[in-house]
Amino acid sequence: MTKVLYSPASPYSTKVRMAALYAGIPVESILVDSNAEPAELIDANPLGKIPTLILDDGKAIFDSRVITQYLNRVSGNKIFPRNAEKRLEAEQLESIADGLCDVLLAHVYERRFHPEEKIHQPWLDRQWGKAIRVFDQLNAAPPRLSKKIHGGHIALAAALAYASLRFEGKWEKGRSKLKRWQKRFEELHPELAALLPK
């Protein structure tokens, strides 16, 4: 069976696991600590990053956007629309959601891996400013949501869950549309919501 090496707090891992479930592709989820650089991860992905998908033949696929595109192909386009314009919208939503994760993780890692006296506040402020712009843009025009979703919706749900996990109470104020979107996603797709970091 195809395996995905993941961490439960990783929004990229969450996105991939939700996409596989939504597409009906069975994957075995293998929990790894990427900081420990386990051989199973390093042998599959020299970058030591998660998620990493390992196929039955041992071939490894990474990063998360490459994995979602792979899952889309093998599922017969269950994750991204076939229509070129709608597909571009879905891919752009996935990109902005992943970018949000990038800046939130940069913020978290600056604090996690540096002693207090080495933390660079201007860097934190710059990353947080990017996150605020994304939250505001998405709140102003949340993507339409129904039972039929795509990879962009999945990526955004994973990103917002990560924001709630690491920055609870710091991003939600004044963004009621985005909070409603997050709640609605979880109501419409409880099977996917069960995979979100909490």
Side-chain angles (χ1 to χ4, degrees):
M1 175 183 282
T2 298
K3 297 186 285 192
V4 61
L5 307 181
Y6 84 104
S7 165
S10 162
Y12 313 106
S13 294
T14 299
K15 174 182 73 169
V16 164
R17 293 172 69 222
M18 287 196 303
L21 180 60
Y22 183 72
I25 299 170
V27 295
E28 179 186 359
S29 296
I30 309 290
L31 182 64
V32 296
D33 175 2
S34 59
N35 290 321
E37 299 186 334
E40 183 175 26
L41 176 60
I42 299 302
D43 291 348
N45 180 348
L47 295 170
K49 294 175 74 174
I50 52 170
T52 294
L53 196 71
I54 303 176
L55 306 182
D56 293 342
D57 64 4
K59 182 178 181 178
I61 301 174
F62 49 89
D63 73 354
S64 68
R65 272 190 249 177
V66 176
I67 295 171
T68 58
Q69 291 298 329
Y70 170 81
L71 294 172
N72 186 60
R73 283 191 301 279
V74 299
S75 70
N77 293 298
K78 289 184 180 174
I79 300 171
F80 289 96
R82 291 178 191 267
N83 174 280
E85 187 175 330
K86 290 181 179 177
R87 183 178 180 120
L88 180 60
E89 287 175 15
E91 290 173 340
Q92 286 182 309
L93 182 56
E94 181 184 21
S95 178
I96 196 102
D98 284 356
L100 176 60
C101 293
D102 293 345
V103 299
L104 294 177
L105 277 161
H107 201 284
V108 168
Y109 288 165
E110 178 71 14
R111 292 194 175 280
R112 185 178 293 167
F113 295 113
H114 291 109
E116 190 65 35
E117 67 276 4
K118 298 263 184 172
I119 291 172
H120 190 60
Q121 191 60 46
W123 171 254
L124 292 177
D125 294 343
R126 183 170 181 181
Q127 300 314 308
W128 190 247
K130 293 176 187 180
I132 293 300
R133 289 193 301 266
V134 171
F135 289 134
D136 288 344
Q137 179 182 323
L138 291 168
N139 186 68
R144 291 185 54 172
L145 191 59
S146 67
K147 263 314 236 185
K148 184 168 176 54
I149 58 173
H150 55 60
H153 296 118
I154 291 169
L156 180 55
L160 293 176
Y162 183 77
S164 294
L165 177 71
R166 298 292 188 222
F167 299 92
E168 184 177 15
K170 295 182 180 169
W171 70 270
E172 300 91 343
K173 188 175 180 182
R175 299 184 182 93
S176 58
K177 290 182 189 174
L178 198 52
K179 281 300 293 175
R180 280 195 302 274
W181 188 95
Q182 183 181 30
K183 183 178 181 196
R184 184 77 177 130
F185 179 93
E186 293 176 14
E187 291 169 351
L188 287 171
H189 304 281
E191 73 289 357
L192 301 181
L195 299 174
L196 292 170
K198 292 179 178 49

